[in-house]
Amino acid sequence: MGRLVLIARLALRGLRRHLLPSAILALAVTTACAALALGLTLRDAAGQSYMQIRAATDGPDVVAMPISTGDTALDDLDPLFRLPGIAEHSGPYPVVFPMIKAHGLTVQAVAEGRDTTPDAIDHPQLTQGTWVRPGGAVVERAFALALGVRTGDRLTVAGRTFTVTGIALTAAVGPYPYAQWSPQGGGPSANAGLFWLTRADLRGLATPELPLSYTTHLKLTDPQDARAFAASPAVKAIEVNVRTWQFLAEDAVGLRTVHEAITVGSWLLVALALAGASSLIAGRMAEQTRRVGLFKAAGATPGLVAAALLAEHLALALVAGAAGLGLGCLLAPVLSDPGGGLLDTGLLDTGPATPSAGTVIAVAITAFAIAAGAAIGPAWRAAQTTTAHALADPARAPRPHSALTGAAGWLPIPLMLGLRLAARRPRRAFLTAVSTFTVTIGLSAALTFQAQPPFRLDLGASTLPDPPRVLTDHIVQGVIVALIVLAAVNAAATAWNAALDARRPLAVARTLGATPGQVTIGLIAAQLLPALPAAALGAPAGMGLCALLQVGPQAVILPSSAQTVGMIAATLLVLAALTAAPARLGARHPVHKALNSEPN
């Protein structure tokens, strides 16, 4: 127990002594874990939201609509009500498939006739306004959002005008654009939104060109048997189409592209977080060489030293991972409903989504892997350092002569310094390349995604936005912002560590005649040299990633060469700007102080 207390106290003191690096590491792990948790939780959040609205509206177990129209449709439905396993039913409700006009748009819709009092099965949940009344219409919320209508607005349906009295949700029909599912349709488009009228108002819309159809809602004695009931020979023998509540739960929202965008973004953020954490932790370990010597001089074993160095990073990563898990679960219900057709968690006060055990484990493993993968190597090397060497903390000896360093002697002084600094710390150069490659992939994929023609759903005479596509656009923008912020923080931290690490070698170069300007450019070149090929490779990789995720057979439109070159140039310029400040400060540090400074 005393050993664990000692490790905990040393880890806490280490975190207190390095507050800014600890905050940067926590930011990287939290961002990566939040994106990962969001992607994993999103798979179940839409189903959870559908179950909430199903419970709130007493949604049906099975919805049925005859293939025929008119009186024949009612005759076709009649045998369905006498089948075993049905506890109760509501309806049949009259249905027509008109074109409606609102705010200058003419779109396909499904109109359903209801009583002015709520039914026992499927009483839609009002989010605004009041229920149907003569001359009034209630619009399904996702459809209302797409049309831009609110309570008090007017709808023109088959030459008649109705006032929007309310906005509501239902579990009996898929939200816009999935309201139309019966084969008789009635309009020029397979996409449609739903609204409700009184039975009398709806029957007044019926014409030979706009015949009545019907829909009915069934409650089964065992709701879990809904799929078996729909697939039974008795149901198949009746001229009706049926949908089960399980089908509606799975098909209520099109989340494929949304989930893919979050998943790809989360792994890009994990890679960037790992690269940034590796560079940051390596710099912190290098600063603690003398501290390691003091530990060993006081009697600490190599194992105790390694445990103390690892503990602070692992504890911080696990706390940051828990924060990321909470943030991802908080956002999941919002992103699981692109069109607004499902129930807001605030309406039932259910709070954030509940993560599954697999999601918790995956996030914990990711947080642990980021910290452990970055810290184990430096901690082990520090623990194996001899006490005398750690207390002396000498400057790192130059690497043996190589063709690379030999060729650098023929270059201009700034490039020579940059090439030799990069060769002196190959691990840091590799991490800089990984960070640049990851950011460039994300930016290139975003450029390619934005280059695709805007996709809008055809609803007959007009088009409306596709909710999942709109949300995917927002997610791509959010991932890119997170990548840029995290990459900028990583680049600034890496540049600062590089400037501190190169202070003595650059001081020697200045004693041999290098100017502060040459030293500054040399340090910037040390960062840009590994970043340049990484950016050049990341651009086509991002385009390929976007093409891989493209839905449908259509060819992917690539961004212009000018956009790609501009993106690469902007990435390298930002990296150079972030390196310039610490490089300039290091170049202006007095030579005698740099050469005579005590090791950290």
Side-chain angles (χ1 to χ4, degrees):
M1 182 62 69
R3 186 183 181 92
L4 294 178
V5 172
L6 177 60
I7 292 174
R9 292 181 64 182
L10 291 173
L12 182 60
R13 180 165 295 184
L15 290 174
R16 288 176 177 174
R17 292 182 64 223
H18 303 87
L19 288 178
L20 182 58
S22 298
I24 295 174
L25 178 60
L27 173 66
V29 176
T30 300
T31 304
C33 289
L36 179 62
L38 181 59
L40 295 175
T41 308
L42 186 64
R43 294 177 302 181
D44 302 321
Q48 292 174 3
S49 187
Y50 175 82
M51 296 307 295
Q52 292 167 18
I53 185 60
R54 174 173 157 79
T57 63
D58 197 15
D61 299 327
V62 175
V63 181
M65 182 176 285
I67 297 175
S68 57
T69 59
D71 293 338
T72 304
L74 288 174
D75 295 338
D76 289 342
L77 278 175
D78 188 62
L80 186 67
F81 304 138
R82 296 193 293 270
L83 293 180
I86 297 177
E88 57 179 322
H89 75 274
S90 63
Y93 303 113
V95 175
V96 295
F97 302 87
M99 302 294 291
I100 69 171
K101 296 180 180 180
H103 296 311
L105 298 170
T106 302
V107 297
Q108 175 69 36
V110 177
E112 185 176 309
R114 288 296 188 97
D115 298 322
T116 55
T117 57
D119 293 293
I121 303 175
D122 184 43
H123 41 87
Q125 175 83 27
L126 286 164
T127 60
Q128 295 179 32
T130 58
W131 187 232
V132 294
R133 61 174 183 261
V138 175
V139 185
E140 188 267 326
R141 187 174 66 172
F143 192 35
L145 289 173
L147 279 174
V149 301
R150 296 176 293 180
T151 54
D153 289 348
R154 300 298 184 96
L155 299 178
T156 301
V157 186
R160 295 182 57 186
T161 301
F162 296 89
T163 300
V164 177
T165 61
I167 308 295
L169 299 162
T170 180
V173 178
Y176 158 81
Y178 307 112
Q180 182 171 300
W181 58 279
S182 178
Q184 71 263 28
S189 170
N191 301 309
L194 173 69
F195 68 100
W196 296 272
L197 302 172
T198 64
R199 288 178 183 260
D201 283 340
L202 187 131
R203 290 184 184 278
L205 299 176
T207 64
E209 295 76 23
L210 197 63
L212 284 178
S213 182
Y214 292 89
T215 183
T216 187
H217 302 155
L218 310 178
K219 279 286 188 180
L220 305 182
T221 54
D222 186 355
Q224 300 303 320
D225 288 341
R227 290 185 187 274
F229 175 84
S232 65
V235 173
K236 288 186 176 297
I238 302 173
E239 296 293 320
V240 295
N241 290 295
V242 294
R243 275 186 170 181
T244 64
W245 68 267
Q246 294 99 330
F247 179 88
L248 291 169
E250 295 170 357
D251 198 49
V253 184
L255 288 175
R256 180 177 179 271
T257 57
V258 176
H259 183 259
E260 286 179 347
I262 295 177
T263 301
V264 172
S266 67
W267 287 116
L268 289 176
L269 288 170
V270 167
L272 190 58
L274 181 58
S278 298
S279 178
L280 191 66
I281 292 173
R284 286 182 60 178
M285 294 292 186
E287 293 177 2
Q288 298 187 78
T289 303
R290 187 172 176 81
R291 186 183 178 209
V292 169
L294 293 174
F295 285 171
K296 290 191 169 186
T301 63
L304 179 62
V305 171
L309 295 176
L310 280 173
E312 58 182 275
H313 300 102
L314 295 180
L316 182 65
L318 290 177
V319 171
L325 176 65
L327 182 60
C329 293
L330 190 65
L331 293 174
V334 178
L335 298 181
S336 67
D337 186 10
L342 299 179
L343 192 63
D344 288 335
T345 55
L347 294 176
L348 293 181
D349 194 24
T350 56
T354 302
S356 64
T359 298
V360 175
I361 293 172
V363 171
I365 291 175
T366 300
F368 183 86
I370 291 174
I376 285 178
W380 179 253
R381 288 192 296 271
Q384 295 302 309
T385 304
T386 63
T387 304
H389 188 273
L391 289 172
D393 192 14
R396 173 179 255 191
R399 290 180 176 272
H401 181 79
S402 65
L404 184 63
T405 56
W410 297 95
L411 297 174
I413 291 176
L415 289 180
M416 178 191 70
L417 293 175
L419 188 59
R420 289 188 172 179
L421 287 174
R424 181 172 175 265
R425 295 291 193 186
R427 185 171 180 269
R428 179 179 292 143
F430 173 75
L431 293 175
T432 299
V434 170
S435 296
T436 306
F437 180 74
T438 303
V439 173
T440 311
I441 282 181
L443 293 175
S444 178
L447 277 179
T448 307
F449 185 80
Q450 295 299 326
Q452 308 314 304
F455 178 75
R456 293 174 65 87
L457 295 171
D458 177 20
L459 274 84
S462 301
T463 61
L464 290 178
D466 179 26
R469 175 60 187 248
V470 172
L471 182 56
T472 301
D473 287 341
H474 295 161
I475 289 172
V476 169
Q477 294 167 7
V479 168
I480 294 305
V481 170
L483 280 173
I484 291 174
V485 171
L486 195 56
V489 172
N490 288 348
T494 301
W496 185 257
N497 287 335
L500 291 177
D501 181 64
R503 181 172 292 178
R504 289 182 183 177
L506 293 179
V508 173
R510 288 171 61 191
T511 62
L512 297 176
T515 65
Q518 290 173 329
V519 168
T520 300
I521 296 175
L523 196 53
I524 294 174
Q527 297 293 98
L528 291 181
L529 286 173
L532 182 59
L537 292 174
M543 297 175 191
L545 179 63
C546 188
L548 184 65
L549 299 177
Q550 180 73 28
V551 179
Q554 63 273 20
V556 176
I557 299 176
L558 300 180
S560 65
S561 300
Q563 289 178 314
T564 303
V565 172
M567 179 270 296
I568 295 175
T571 302
L572 297 177
L573 285 174
V574 171
L575 179 61
L578 292 171
T579 309
R584 187 174 179 82
L585 289 175
R588 292 184 176 276
H589 193 74
V591 174
H592 68 282
K593 290 185 179 181
L595 292 175
N596 295 325
S597 61
E598 289 292 328
N600 292 320

